[in-house]
Amino acid sequence: MFIVGMDVDTRAYFTSATIVIAVPTGVKIFSWLSTMSGGVLKFSAAMLWATGFIFLFTVGGLTGIVLANSSLDVVLHDTYYVVAHFHYVLSMGAVFAVFSGFCYWFPLFTGVTLNEYLAKAHFYVMFCGVNLTFFPQHFLGLAGMPRRYSDYPDSMRSMNLICSFGSTIRFVGVCLFIGIVVESLASQRRVVFSSYPASSIE
């Protein structure tokens, strides 16, 4: 947005408006954290996914504040820094929240439970995989690596190898998730009615 040729006053306005968005976003994050601190936490698979979502969403929000500054955004535009930012907020943040809901509501929808140990293992594999994939991209963007390029200088090889390794770990996590669902449906571990989630909206 900042590189389309707008004048200095317009850039200053949009910079301020974009940074102001961080205020309600910060309120949301602190609201989620205070909700968690108000009770006794049981770190089930669903809770792990929810806390992972908060962490990833926060990292993505902090990098968004950097990109809200028009002077920095002009330099970082169309680099891997932007790719890392929106994947932390949208791709990983949203996906982690979806997995949290899936782990929580799966027993109600199907009548059978997920293997809790495998579900937690799935979280740890995915959490390591997504951070290994996207966190180094911040440094690649700061080094000037542009998006949508299939080749890169040798100086950026190590970070790209880490990203590729993390992507492989994420693929293993997806396969593990499919295996967990198949195993749950095949083993038919029935829910205990006192512990399955209520059908009402909490």
Side-chain angles (χ1 to χ4, degrees), residues 85-106:
H85 161 67
F86 69 67
H87 276 87
Y88 263 90
V89 175
L90 296 177
S91 179
M92 296 186 301
V95 167
F96 272 51
V98 167
F99 274 125
S100 177
F102 183 88
C103 290
Y104 186 76
W105 293 108
F106 184 82

Side-chain angles (χ1 to χ4, degrees), residues 47-200:
M47 191 65 189
L48 288 175
W49 285 107
T51 53
F53 158 74
I54 293 173
F55 171 78
L56 297 173
F57 191 79
T58 303
V59 172
L62 292 173
T63 58
I65 294 173
V66 174
L67 292 173
N69 188 325
S70 59
S71 301
L72 291 173
D73 187 73
V74 168
V75 177
L76 295 173
H77 172 75
D78 219 18
T79 66
Y80 260 43
Y81 194 91
V82 178
V83 175
H85 161 67
F86 69 67
H87 276 87
Y88 263 90
V89 175
L90 296 177
S91 179
M92 296 186 301
V95 167
F96 272 51
V98 167
F99 274 125
S100 177
F102 183 88
C103 290
Y104 186 76
W105 293 108
F106 184 82
L108 178 66
F109 293 158
T110 62
V112 296
T113 60
L114 295 170
N115 185 316
E116 189 69 15
Y117 297 108
L118 290 177
K120 289 181 179 180
H122 174 228
F123 165 76
Y124 290 119
V125 169
M126 286 291 286
F127 187 79
C128 293
V130 295
N131 280 295
L132 277 176
T133 301
F134 295 109
F135 195 76
Q137 291 181 6
H138 293 103
F139 304 110
L140 288 170
L142 290 171
M145 181 172 172
R147 303 166 56 187
R148 304 186 184 102
Y149 275 59
S150 60
D151 199 7
Y152 45 84
D154 289 340
S155 62
M156 299 177 179
R157 183 172 182 269
S158 59
M159 287 294 183
N160 277 285
L161 281 176
I162 294 171
C163 293
S164 299
F165 180 65
S167 185
T168 305
I169 293 175
R170 286 189 307 136
F171 176 75
V172 171
V174 171
C175 294
L176 180 60
F177 170 70
I178 295 170
I180 290 169
V181 174
V182 170
E183 186 272 338
S184 176
L185 296 174
S187 63
Q188 291 291 308
R189 284 183 303 276
R190 297 293 176 184
V191 295
V192 179
F193 287 101
S194 61
S195 65
Y196 84 99
S199 59
S200 62

